[in-house]
């Protein structure tokens, strides 16, 4: 399937065809995601939690994001991929934001980058867009500023807060983003925003009315055990399946059932006999 572009995403919105996205952080899962037919993949700074075991995303650096984005690009060469700008890679200045967005493109070959925030980051969005790159917005629950929200809390759950979110979404669209991720907002708010914007909305914990859905792959596969948000459906329980496989491996190694003959390498013809003669009389421990 050819790689989708921003015009395909807008057409999908217009046709009412849902856009499917997942996070990916490594080569193997990215190649499986591409073969399965995902429309786009996000190299999320959620890798701070699910890959590196931090309690949040703030410690994630540009260098970490670049390495994982390169792996995802190699695994999914024909999928639209978005690199997530980590904390402090765009907040300080427009120049910083442009330089770091440029690194994602030059070093990892991403198709777009994502920034968290609404009206307060429109100068950065404009700067990156004016430099010729694609920007995805992210509003609602934005983990990089969760301290200001009093934790990982639902956003836009009052009429006034919904109108504030809409103002952020409209400002981002005006600044040039090609799509907006809505995280942890009630369906009434995401329906309003989705209905007002020309660009697609991609919901994670934002109900059924968004133009597309996004989940963190480690959540939907049942891999990440620390915390599962309410909005996650587990499509597999890989933690259970991995535990079963690990236990079976331990058992078979202990019982001498693994490795079996089909896993051995063979010596060249006649060499085993030659070796037998060479070591004849050599004391052995076993
Ligand atoms: O880092 C991430 O995976 C994200 C999604 C939760 C939207 O930003």
């Amino acid at each position: 399937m050819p790689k989708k572009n921003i015009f395909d995403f807008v057409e999908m919105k217009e046709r009412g065809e849902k856009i499917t996205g997942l996070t990916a952080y490594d080569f193997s899962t990215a190649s499986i995601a591409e073969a399965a037919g995902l429309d786009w993949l996000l190299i999320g700074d959620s890798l701070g939690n699910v890959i590196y075991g931090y309690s949040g995303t703030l410690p994630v650096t540009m260098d970490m994001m670049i390495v994982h984005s390169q792996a995802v690009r190699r695994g999914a060469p024909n999928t639209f991929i978005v690199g997530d700008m980590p904390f402090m890679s765009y907040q300080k200045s427009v120049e910083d934001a442009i330089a770091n967005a440029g690194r994602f493109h030059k070093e990892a070959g991403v198709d777009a980058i994502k920034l968290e925030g609404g009206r307060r980051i429109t100068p950065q969005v404009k700067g990156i867009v004016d430099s010729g790159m694609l920007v995805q917005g992210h509003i609602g629950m934005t983990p990089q500023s969760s301290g200001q929200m009093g934790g990982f809390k639902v956003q836009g759950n009052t009429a006034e807060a919904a109108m504030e979110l809409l103002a952020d979404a409209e400002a981002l669209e005006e600044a040039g983003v090609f799509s907006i991720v809505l995280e942890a907002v009630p369906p009434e708010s995401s329906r309003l925003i989705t209905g007002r914007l020309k660009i697609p909305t991609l919901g994670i914990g934002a109900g059924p009315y968004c133009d597309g859905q996004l989940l963190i792959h480690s959540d939907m596969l049942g891999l990440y055990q620390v915390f599962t948000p309410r909005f996650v459906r587990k499509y597999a329980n890989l933690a259970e399946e991995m535990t079963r496989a690990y236990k079976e491996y331990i058992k078979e190694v202990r019982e001498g059932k693994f490795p079996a003959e089909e896993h051995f390498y063979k010596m060249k013809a006649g060499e085993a006999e030659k070796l037998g003669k060479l070591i004849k009389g050599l004391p052995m421990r076993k």
Side-chain angles (χ1 to χ4, degrees):
M1 242 208 298
K3 195 205 276 189
K4 295 220 163 51
N5 62 45
I6 54 166
F7 303 107
D8 296 318
F9 295 135
V10 171
E11 280 172 21
M12 287 172 83
K13 175 180 176 114
E14 284 165 0
R15 286 197 301 268
E17 193 182 325
K18 295 284 184 185
I19 302 165
T20 57
L22 282 178
T23 64
Y25 314 106
D26 66 86
F27 171 83
S28 302
T29 44
S31 57
I32 294 169
E34 175 160 302
L38 267 298
D39 294 316
W40 71 287
L41 295 172
L42 171 69
I43 304 97
D45 64 353
S46 50
L47 60 74
N49 301 83
V50 302
I51 301 291
Y52 289 96
Y54 293 119
S55 60
T57 56
L58 300 198
V60 175
T61 65
M62 272 301 295
D63 287 345
M64 288 156 88
M65 292 305 302
I66 295 286
V67 168
H68 287 273
S69 301
Q70 288 168 334
V72 169
R73 179 79 295 166
R74 286 190 288 267
N78 296 315
T79 303
F80 190 95
I81 65 168
V82 180
D84 207 3
M85 298 273 278
F87 183 57
M88 280 303 139
S89 67
Y90 58 96
Q91 287 90 343
K92 274 182 289 176
S93 68
V94 174
E95 289 69 28
D96 255 19
I98 297 171
N100 284 317
R103 272 196 72 189
F104 263 110
H105 286 77
K106 276 174 113 60
E107 297 177 38
V110 300
D111 298 291
I113 54 86
K114 173 168 86 61
L115 304 181
E116 291 185 9
R119 282 160 285 183
R120 67 183 176 188
I121 57 127
T122 51
Q124 283 88 333
V125 172
K126 281 189 189 135
I128 300 169
V129 171
D130 286 348
S131 307
M133 293 175 267
L134 294 172
V135 180
Q136 181 175 70
H138 178 174
I139 56 172
M141 215 290 286
T142 45
Q144 292 176 16
S145 44
S146 58
Q148 290 181 338
M149 297 173 176
F152 299 95
K153 296 215 168 116
V154 178
Q155 301 296 306
N157 57 356
T158 64
E160 206 172 291
M163 293 309 288
E164 287 296 314
L165 268 187
L166 176 63
D168 278 332
E170 288 181 334
L172 287 172
E173 182 173 61
E174 173 71 29
V177 302
F178 73 94
S179 66
I180 299 183
V181 170
L182 299 177
E183 182 169 356
V185 303
E188 293 82 355
S189 298
S190 59
R191 185 179 209 170
L192 167 71
I193 295 167
T194 303
R196 292 279 306 160
L197 301 187
K198 288 194 203 77
I199 54 167
T201 58
L202 306 160
I204 173 162
Y209 304 115
C210 296
D211 300 304
Q213 294 292 326
L214 169 69
L215 279 176
I216 292 185
H217 96 104
S218 333
D219 287 338
M220 64 89 77
L221 293 176
L223 261 180
Y224 185 62
Q225 305 287 288
V226 179
F227 171 68
T228 306
R230 172 195 163 91
F231 56 75
V232 171
R233 176 172 291 166
K234 287 194 183 178
Y235 287 84
N237 195 334
L238 290 198
E240 221 171 85
E241 180 57 11
M242 286 173 72
T243 307
R244 187 204 56 72
Y246 289 173
K247 284 189 170 164
E248 194 175 327
Y249 168 73
I250 293 167
K251 184 166 171 284
E252 289 202 347
V253 169
R254 288 188 179 146
E255 290 173 354
K257 289 187 181 154
F258 178 83
E261 201 176 340
E262 65 268 28
H263 310 114
F264 301 168
Y265 294 104
K266 302 249 178 337
M267 280 192 103
K268 287 186 177 157
E271 294 300 316
E273 294 72 20
K274 222 195 258 174
L275 181 65
K277 284 182 195 151
L278 281 176
I279 63 170
K280 205 164 172 196
L282 213 61
M284 303 286 273
R285 289 205 177 84
K286 273 170 94 177

